[in-house]
Structures are given as C-alpha cells and as structure tokens.
Amino acid sequence: MPDSAKLQTGPNVSGKRRADLTYSYNLKSGRHGWLRLTPAYSVKLVHEILASHPDRHSVLDPFSGTGTTPLCAGYLGHSAFAVDINPFLVWFGKTKVRIYDPATLESARRTLDQAIKSFLENNIAPCPPPPINNITRWWDQSSIDFLCRLKATIRDNASDRTPVRDLLSIAFCRTLIRLSNAAFNHQSMSFKSEKGGPKQGNLFAADDPIMMFREDAEYVIESAEENPNPGVDIVGGDSRQIAELTNQRFDIVVTSPPYPNRMSYIRELRPYMYWLDYLYEPREAGDLDWKAMGGTWGVATSRLLEWKPQNQEFHPGYLKKIVSQVTAANDQNGRLLAQYLHKYFEDAWLHLCSLAKVMGKGGTIHYVVGNSTFYGVLVPTEQMYADLMKEAGFSEISITEIRKRNSKKELKEFVVAAYR
Ligand SMILES: C[S@@+](CC[C@H](N)C(=O)[O-])C[C@H]1O[C@@H](n2cnc3c(N)ncnc32)[C@H](O)[C@@H]1O
C-alpha cells in the first residue's frame, strides 16, 4: 500500500447508500438489535474488517457507542476493550457483551412473569415522570402514566445492578421508544408529529403496552442466550487520553468516532438517559456533550465560543483555509462553526497521538468517518484523519469510500485505515 492516502473506491460502493452498512442491518441481529442509535454502524462492516485480519485477536474500539465492535469481536472469539464517554452507553454496552448463564436467564423469565402479574394487580405506586423538557412531545399522557407504573414495577421486582434488572431495563427502553413519537427516518431522530401526520407511536395505536413490554423482554432474554467470548470489556472514559485508560497493547482498532457534523448523540439518547436516571436536569446533558468529541448540545455551544486551541495542535494548511471560509460564510454562526471544526480536529489529533501509544507494532486501525459541509464549504474529514494519522506516527494509510450518506451527493462515508 502507498504511504500517502489515496482514495480507493471498493467494488459496487461508489454512489450507493448501502443500508447494509448502516444500523438498519443490525435491527434483526440478536443483541446487536437491542436498541437503535442512528449513528451506530453495521455489524456486517465490522465483521468484514475483523475477518480480513484473521491473525489479529486483541481488538480496541475507543468510541464504543452501542458496542457493535466489542460484541462482534466477542462473537468471533477475540478479546476486546472498548471505551465510551457516555455512562448510559457504557452500561448498555456492558449489558450487551455480558455472559448470561442459563440460571440467570431462567430467573429473568420468572421475574418478567412476576413483574407483569404485579403490574396487572395495579398495587405499586408509580415513579415520578422524568424531567424531560417538553415531555408530551415525546409521549402522550397515557403513555407517560404507563411508563411510570412500568418503571416502578421493574424496580420493585428486580434488584438494582443485577443482570436481570439490566435485561428488563433494556426491554423497558425498547418499549418506551416504541411508544414515543420519535421517528428514525432521517439521519438523526425527529418527531412523527412534526411532519403533521397522525401520531402513531402513542398508546392509542399500541395494542396493549404491557404485552408490548413482554414481547420486548422476551426478545432481549432470548437473544441473551448466545454468549460472546468472555474477554470483552467496556469502560467509561475519554479516548483523547486513551493511553491513560489501559496498559494493554492492541493489534486492531475498528471504530467510528463522532463525525464533525454537529450531530449530538445526547439528543437521541435523552429519553433512555432520563428514564433510567442517567440524567436529572437539562444542564447535565450539555455538560456531558461538552466532554464528547464534536458535542454541541446546550451549554456546549456557548463554551465553544470561548474555546482556545491548545499548543500541540496539528493544522494542515487546508484546515486553516476551511476554518476561515466557514467563519466568513455566515455573520451570525460562522465563527461558532469554525470554532467547532477547529476543536473537533484538535480533539481527533489528541486522540490519535494517545492511541499510537497503545497500539502494538504493526497494529492496524480502521476509522469509519463521514465528511460534512458548512455553508457549502466541504470538510474532507477522511483526508484530515489520514493526515492526522500520518503525523501521529501511523503509515501505509488508505482511504476507501464505502457509501453515500443521504441526498446531498457530496456526503459520503469512508474507512480510513493505517498501520502502526
Ligand atoms: C459514532 S458513535 C459510535 C457508534 C458505534 N460504532 C456503534 O456502532 O454504536 C461515537 C461515540 O463516541 C463517543 N464519544 C464521543 N467523544 C468521546 C470521547 N472523547 N471519548 C470516548 N468516547 C467518546 C460518543 O458517546 C458516541 O457513543
């Protein structure tokens, strides 16, 4: 492979949307389908990359999200270590990659039966609704009442921090999102009612919400039967300093960092995070997003305007040009978005420098990234990652276009790969 990053286009990929390379492929793939997160990537893509390096067994994902890479690696019999900054996703990932023995699953089934029985007896006091801003935009009142009673029932029937409680909490998340007005027909989440059509996700459309919960729990428990390799771990932490989180050395990375497109994961995760008590007030969502790469939710936006670059930044000339073009493109928001891009790539640079320390000699890295546009200025994220990788000590860098992202023809997704 050449040492400079040249664009490669795989067979049959250029210009196609390739739903098989997105989250939708995961929906019917057992544990991979437990909850949807729009920016999650396809287990098929991860599987293909890992399978093309059969001699690599120590897998790292510094941006774990829903845990697609560590779970896939575990099912292939590899050991894996994954990191995410969002505590809800760390819990979710851990629950997904856990080993469940038959006795635990039997106990989960019994607890489910017991919980439904006590729900129907209707003698448990409901939990208070979560303090989500504008909650009735998400659920109608009858769905909120149902979810408050269901949450209390799960809490009373399954002890906190046990595998059984975790499995039922995942089922609860599936049910709450099915009952909501959230629509996932777009790059990020929207609301069904925003489009002016009938509300479909609420209690009136659901046949029987407690049966919906039973169906969700049975799906979760059944898919928990297939266990991955036990050597898989997911931890909370900041991958800009990944070398401080582990003493291990890895021989392959398959990951997808946030893209520099202002998409906030917090936005889509809020319903789960509020209902499961990971968030208590709106400010916490902004604080968490500020720590995440590419975060701009709430208070993160105002902090961006005050942000100053650190000394160890790496700036190729074209990034400086893009930053000044974006600044000039819009009087009101140009500077904010230019700051956003500047910080995003500085964070990516800090991450890659730290990553270089935990990669074994000859280890290979694979970054799935998407480009973006701001006021018509194209941000070549894939080229930027390739250049940052080279500067951070990686070589044999390649960029492969894998799919078109949406109706804007210039928006694409790439795999940027390199060796240590
Ligand atoms: C594109 S998503 C990863 C999706 C994942 N590949 C999947 O299939 O679910 C990027 C993830 O990076 C996490 N993240 C953002 N900044 C981070 C940081 N500084 N350290 C660790 N994780 C971070 C976000 O919370 C998000 O879950």
Side-chain angles (χ1 to χ4, degrees):
M1 266 188 278
D3 198 28
S4 63
K6 291 232 176 66
L7 181 68
Q8 303 174 359
T9 304
N12 302 320
V13 293
S14 180
K16 294 199 176 161
R17 299 238 184 124
R18 295 289 306 263
D20 61 325
L21 296 186
T22 71
Y23 181 78
S24 42
Y25 182 87
N26 301 0
L27 285 173
K28 298 230 162 5
S29 310
R31 296 189 193 191
H32 285 288
W34 277 359
L35 288 183
R36 69 170 298 156
L37 173 68
T38 316
Y41 52 27
S42 155
V43 58
K44 181 177 171 187
L45 179 63
V46 179
H47 195 283
E48 278 173 11
I49 294 172
L50 291 176
S52 65
H53 295 279
D55 53 333
R56 310 293 167 114
H57 302 295
S58 176
V59 181
L60 170 66
D61 184 348
F63 302 99
S64 175
T66 62
T68 312
T69 294
L71 182 59
C72 180
Y75 278 141
L76 287 171
H78 300 322
S79 69
F81 179 74
V83 178
D84 204 282
I85 205 151
N86 184 307
F88 165 77
L89 289 173
V90 173
W91 165 79
F92 179 52
K94 279 180 178 294
T95 305
K96 234 171 159 180
V97 301
R98 184 184 285 138
I99 307 297
Y100 295 96
D101 59 34
T104 303
L105 296 178
E106 191 41 45
S107 163
R109 288 192 178 92
R110 272 199 315 273
T111 309
L112 172 65
D113 288 343
Q114 181 57 42
I116 289 178
K117 188 164 170 276
S118 52
F119 180 93
L120 295 172
E121 285 164 0
N122 200 6
N123 51 14
I124 295 177
C127 290
I132 303 182
N133 202 6
N134 211 349
I135 191 170
T136 49
R137 195 168 176 219
W138 288 92
W139 299 273
D140 59 30
Q141 193 55 51
S142 49
S143 298
I144 295 169
D145 294 344
F146 166 77
L147 291 169
C148 290
R149 281 184 58 214
L150 183 57
K151 178 176 171 178
T153 307
I154 294 170
R155 188 196 55 198
D156 280 22
N157 282 275
S159 310
D160 198 12
R161 295 169 203 274
T162 57
V164 170
R165 169 78 159 263
D166 288 343
L167 290 170
L168 295 186
S169 296
I170 303 265
F172 177 72
C173 288
R174 284 174 65 89
T175 305
L176 75 85
I177 210 69
R178 283 169 79 185
L179 288 174
S180 81
N181 289 313
F184 295 94
N185 49 6
H186 183 63
Q187 185 200 6
S188 62
M189 188 218 76
S190 61
F191 289 99
K192 287 169 189 157
S193 51
E194 274 174 2
K195 301 211 160 49
K199 284 188 172 189
Q200 293 166 351
N202 60 28
L203 199 50
F204 302 113
D207 288 331
D208 181 348
I210 194 65
M211 288 304 120
M212 192 187 266
F213 173 68
R214 176 184 275 289
E215 186 182 278
D216 286 327
E218 283 172 350
Y219 173 74
V220 171
I221 296 168
E222 195 184 317
S223 44
E225 281 171 9
E226 199 188 334
N227 285 310
N229 180 36
V232 178
D233 193 16
I234 299 177
V235 301
D238 186 343
S239 284
R240 285 170 296 191
Q241 287 99 36
I242 192 154
E244 289 169 24
L245 300 174
T246 177
N247 294 323
Q248 291 181 66
R249 293 293 168 266
F250 302 94
D251 51 27
I252 186 163
V253 170
V254 184
T255 195
S256 176
Y259 301 170
N261 59 2
R262 294 206 74 195
M263 199 188 133
S264 180
Y265 301 101
I266 284 283
R267 179 168 192 266
E268 190 171 330
L269 295 172
R270 273 175 311 151
Y272 309 122
M273 293 183 73
Y274 273 107
W275 277 104
L276 294 196
D277 302 324
Y278 282 92
L279 283 178
Y280 292 96
E281 51 172 291
R283 195 184 165 85
E284 290 171 325
D287 283 338
L288 182 57
D289 218 31
W290 176 244
K291 292 190 213 147
M293 256 175 76
T296 55
W297 187 260
V299 69
T301 302
S302 51
R303 287 187 189 161
L304 260 181
L305 283 169
E306 291 149 27
W307 174 81
K308 298 247 178 324
Q310 299 183 13
N311 288 335
Q312 68 269 52
E313 62 191 310
F314 164 67
H315 274 170
Y318 64 87
L319 179 66
K320 287 190 180 146
K321 192 168 155 211
I322 289 167
V323 165
S324 45
Q325 281 174 336
V326 171
T327 309
N330 184 289
D331 285 349
Q332 215 182 349
N333 286 324
R335 195 173 96 74
L336 174 73
L337 295 179
Q339 287 276 90
Y340 170 79
L341 284 172
H342 198 157
K343 180 172 187 300
Y344 174 88
F345 285 113
E346 187 174 301
D347 284 347
W349 165 240
L350 293 174
H351 160 65
L352 289 168
C353 291
S354 191
L355 178 82
K357 299 180 189 158
V358 301
M359 291 307 295
K361 187 87 195 109
T364 173
I365 62 174
H366 304 260
Y367 278 63
V368 178
V369 296
N371 59 3
S372 49
T373 55
F374 290 90
Y375 304 123
V377 180
L378 183 71
V379 180
T381 310
E382 72 290 1
Q383 190 61 52
M384 193 67 204
Y385 267 91
D387 292 343
L388 291 172
M389 284 174 186
K390 192 168 178 196
E391 196 67 18
F394 293 89
S395 59
E396 296 181 60
I397 296 157
S398 64
I399 301 174
T400 307
E401 183 185 317
I402 55 169
R403 70 179 196 98
K404 192 172 175 281
R405 281 214 329 272
N406 64 15
S407 52
K408 275 197 189 168
K409 70 174 180 348
E410 66 275 25
L411 292 186
K412 294 174 180 162
E413 221 160 56
F414 306 85
V415 178
V416 186
Y419 286 85
R420 180 74 178 113

